[in-house]
Amino acid sequence: MNNFGKEATLPLNLNIKDKHLLQSNDAFKSPLSPKQPFFIGVAGGTASGKTTVCNMINTQLRDHRVVLITQDSFYYSLSDNMVPKVNEYNFDHPDAFDTKLLLSTMEKLKCGRSVTVPDYDFNTHKRIEPGRQVHPADIIILEGILVLHDSGVRNILNMKIFVDEDSDVRLARRMQRLVIERGRNIENVLDQYSRFVKPSFEDFVLPTKKYADIIIPSGGDNDVAIDLILQNIQHRIMMMTKNCACTQIKGMHTLIRDVKATKHDFVFYSDRLIRLVVEHGLGHLPFSEKQVITPTGSVYSGVIFCSRLCGVSVIRSGESMENALRECCNGIKIGKILIHGHGTNGRQLIYEKLPSDIASRHVLLLDPVLATGSSAVKAISLLLNKGVPESNIIFLNLVAVSHFDLLLPYLAPQGINAVCERFPMIKLVTSEIDESLNENAHVIPGLGEFGDRYFATDD
């Protein structure tokens, strides 16, 4: 047991070069809350290849903001009386680390706050002020021999990795690092290894292997393991982004669905949602690859989307989506369709004005609410009669009903079911799916008469 003072650092020298099977308990946890970083803990014995694994992860994830924090930064500072006897202290014991400060630091980063990570000097065995400023990132890697030892730290980690390596290999690497590279006395290194490093590994480090989601045999030389880890991280990051976007959409729907929403708020947040739907719909257009020269003289390999497109809004609420489409597609042609009618005659086409060459274009059909689907079916049928291929139609709306009565299957399907059953080749993009229709064919929970609320004609 060591009696260390209360200070520590983070020497961050990433140098990747090294690089084979993987064992996994369960690396897939529940989804993260929005905006929280993805925490990876990399543990294992000294000289097992932890830093190499971290370097490889860091290098391959360069599209994300990655921060590496080493547990060594949280060593307690030695008092002046302890420094002369440094060879008598066990730096591989859990009590050598300021785990309380480490846990506090990780919790702050989890909450999106910047932190100061201690700067530990291995020559003086003291922390150097002012420390290193670390800002929130997409991925935070915590590396150290005992990062899986404390339950509080483990609970923060989204992925726990244990780097496993043969003890003889670890000793050989340690000898090279301390004797050849740092000029340490070989007898002292072997004495420290036999007295502290090896016993502590067996007593404290190796038992934490059972907490790992992923165990990497052969350390940093395991290419297959690293590739699988990277695939899993990329998948988790994608899910984080998706969850964050879904929460944003849910929040905006909460605002526009509120019966107490002001006209300004309803229009403002509806416009935001419409823009998101339009952008996503444009992503379904065909594209071709194209290379351009950047201002630096470099070649950028990108894509160019189909330019032969037009919008068609279903009057009147569909007109609320036109501005977003114009903002995304400069000079785009927009046609109009008016469909109206109630009772036994059903929906009837009242008016249409479409581009004369619409048959050769991809069409973005605009209608914010898909309820029974009768207007949509009418509009899509008109486009097909004008020669537009079914696969060239992208139907955009904010709310769509997905309803099929299992108790009364002889009734016609409605909403999404009605449209997709009739036109299986069209693409439908919506920001949220509602449960059902009431006896008056109103969407439930719905958002009221969209056109009246948007154009302020509901009074």
Side-chain angles (χ1 to χ4, degrees), residues 31-32 34 235-249:
L32 298 172
H235 172 76
R236 295 294 302 280
I237 293 296
M238 180 186 70
M239 293 304 298
M240 288 168 61
T241 304
K242 180 179 178 181
N243 290 339
C244 184
C246 288
T247 305
Q248 283 284 310
I249 290 172

Side-chain angles (χ1 to χ4, degrees), residues 94 102 110 209 213 216 224 235 283 357 436-437:
L102 171 60
K110 182 177 181 179
K209 183 177 178 179
D213 300 313
I216 306 180
V224 174
H235 172 76
D357 59 350
S436 61
L437 301 173

